[in-house]
Amino acid sequence: MTYVVALTGGIGSGKSTVSDYFATLGVPVIDTDVIARELVAINHPCYEAIVQKFGNSILDDRLSIDRRKLREIIFHNADAKKWLENLLHPQIKQALREQISKLSYFYCLIVVPLLVENFEHYKNFVNRVLLVDSLEEHQINRTMARDHSSLATVKNIIASQASREARLAIADDILLNNKELKILKQEVELLHQKYLQKAQELIKPQ
Ligand code: ADP
């Protein structure tokens, strides 16, 4: 049985940075965004369901689902958002289960950017929640520098995501990413030791 740590945080908080550090320590990292992208690819059953629901206008020239258009629709329509989440998350969980069952490491990290928004789907599935917490000012500056996006775009995305308070409420561990990367990496190494220990406690006979 693999101990599952879910890593979450807002846009630009440092999730990729932190998950890369875990990966360099040998921890298997599974990104739910990658799974979600595979689920909406042509030929996947979810593709058909989504096109049936939203029509051909969400397709691009190559008949792939235009994820930007889909995001735009669900941004303005709460029912459509719920529908899509209910379609995708059980399947994401299934894919996670399959991938995790093949692992032979003590624990794994699953990256779930929208964990708070979809906590009901994951709460019985994860052993621990790790939050990369970042001040909004840092999130904005880092995302703008990384994506070359405007201040308004980044602010809009942040406003559409869960609040910092809601994220803190589900977190078991918090990495405050307001420091030099070198220090952040050291904190990841400490958490790694902690998770190794927790994972071993889980497999110890009672
Ligand atoms: P997320 O995956 O949460 O969207 P990233 O890990 O991609 O966030 O971080 C956003 C950007 O900020 C990246 O370009 C990353 O290199 C940079 N970054 C993250 N943490 C720090 C930090 N502590 N100091 C300086 N730059 C950082």
Side-chain angles (χ1 to χ4, degrees):
M1 192 170 164
T2 305
Y3 191 81
V4 179
V5 179
L7 175 75
T8 195
I11 184 166
S13 57
K15 295 178 298 296
S16 306
T17 307
V18 167
S19 64
D20 286 351
Y21 290 155
F22 276 100
T24 60
L25 295 169
V27 179
V29 174
I30 306 174
D31 189 338
T32 53
D33 260 357
V34 174
I35 297 176
R37 241 173 276 146
E38 288 165 0
L39 288 179
V40 301
I42 297 181
N43 293 332
H44 194 283
C46 289
Y47 172 92
E48 294 299 330
I50 292 168
V51 177
Q52 239 177 41
K53 171 90 178 167
F54 298 109
N56 287 342
S57 61
I58 55 150
L59 299 178
D60 64 18
D61 298 344
R62 301 161 75 193
L63 299 182
S64 296
I65 288 174
D66 186 330
R67 282 166 45 93
R68 250 202 346 229
K69 284 188 194 160
L70 195 57
R71 261 202 304 270
E72 189 69 16
I73 293 173
I74 63 172
F75 190 74
H76 296 289
N77 182 337
D79 286 344
K81 184 165 183 261
K82 199 88 225 137
W83 179 88
L84 189 66
E85 284 169 356
N86 286 338
L87 174 76
L88 293 180
H89 286 285
Q91 303 241 19
I92 292 174
K93 243 169 39 179
Q94 183 55 31
L96 280 171
R97 274 202 193 94
E98 282 164 21
Q99 293 188 27
I100 291 170
S101 71
K102 293 181 191 139
L103 298 175
S104 52
Y105 196 68
F106 303 97
Y107 78 95
C108 71
L109 197 74
I110 60 171
V111 184
V112 193
L114 301 182
L115 183 64
V116 171
E117 292 83 343
N118 297 289
F119 200 49
E120 86 233 47
H121 289 289
Y122 292 93
K123 63 175 185 242
N124 297 324
F125 183 75
V126 303
N127 296 99
R128 211 160 173 90
V129 174
L130 169 58
L131 171 68
V132 188
D133 184 28
S134 207
L135 303 176
E136 192 169 304
E137 167 198 343
H138 285 150
Q139 271 182 281
I140 292 172
N141 293 339
R142 288 172 188 158
T143 307
M144 284 174 68
R146 183 192 61 189
D147 300 345
H148 309 291
S149 35
S150 70
L151 176 64
T153 303
V154 181
K155 278 192 160 176
N156 258 334
I157 297 173
I158 291 176
S160 75
Q161 296 187 334
S163 67
R164 189 171 173 217
E165 290 67 31
R167 287 202 187 92
L168 288 166
I170 63 159
D172 297 299
D173 300 304
I174 299 161
L175 270 176
L176 183 57
N177 186 10
N178 63 345
K179 49 195 65 113
E180 271 182 58
L181 289 170
K182 200 175 67 185
I183 312 285
L184 187 69
K185 192 167 186 213
Q186 286 168 2
E187 292 183 359
V188 167
E189 283 162 8
L190 288 177
L191 276 173
H192 174 59
Q193 293 308 324
K194 176 169 166 175
Y195 295 151
L196 281 176
Q197 191 171 353
K198 293 228 164 260
Q200 275 156 6
E201 281 165 13
L202 188 77
I203 54 176
K204 245 187 240 159
Q206 299 296 309

